[in-house]
Amino acid sequence: MEHAKLNYVEFPAKNLTATKQFFESVFSWTFIDYGSEYSAFSNAGLEGGFYFSELESRCENGGALLVFYSNNITDTQAKVEKAGGIINKNIFEFPGGCRFHFIEPSGNEFAVWSETAE
């Protein structure tokens, strides 16, 4: 671990089972449950967890936006949709690349970016 560096992130989740299945399917995350109201994830680039809550983390509510990188953004978007994610911002370009935003089964917003839309 590095001093003064981000080390862990936590998100609310009203449906831990569906959220875990989504991230396992789309991003190959692994989980360890700590009771019925908390599940830690790994294999995500940053360790973290989901805690049971009716709240949602979205940009419109002032929530932080965590952004995944993808070598093939259209393939990743298709995987998100197939696993039940809701695309709330379709692929759009910005200086340096493109990205899309999605809502996972517990209502949290994430994004995926790539250098190109191919």
Side-chain angles (χ1 to χ4, degrees):
M1 289 182 255
E2 292 186 54
H3 173 72
K5 302 295 181 200
L6 289 173
N7 178 259
Y8 202 83
V9 63
E10 295 183 328
F11 295 96
K14 54 186 149 194
N15 187 334
L16 284 167
T17 300
T19 291
K20 288 176 5 183
Q21 289 172 346
F22 175 84
F23 284 102
E24 286 171 349
S25 172
V26 178
F27 298 106
S28 300
W29 288 10
T30 55
F31 290 88
I32 297 174
D33 294 336
Y34 294 94
S36 62
E37 295 190 358
Y38 192 87
S39 189
F41 59 79
S42 56
N43 197 35
L46 177 65
E47 303 293 302
F50 289 98
Y51 57 92
F52 178 75
S53 175
E54 293 294 328
L55 300 175
E56 299 171 343
S57 179
R58 293 197 189 186
C59 295
E60 66 194 34
N61 300 335
L65 179 67
L66 270 73
V67 183
F68 293 87
Y69 175 76
S70 174
N71 288 327
N72 186 327
I73 197 165
T74 54
D75 181 55
T76 302
Q77 182 172 339
K79 287 171 96 174
V80 165
E81 292 174 308
K82 182 178 179 185
I86 298 168
I87 306 303
N88 64 326
K89 289 187 183 178
N90 285 313
I91 296 174
F92 62 93
E93 293 186 14
F94 62 88
C98 59
R99 77 180 194 199
F100 70 90
H101 293 211
F102 67 91
I103 307 298
E104 56 86 25
S106 282
N108 299 305
E109 182 175 3
F110 292 86
V112 177
W113 87 279
S114 187
E115 289 93 350
T116 65
E118 299 175 4

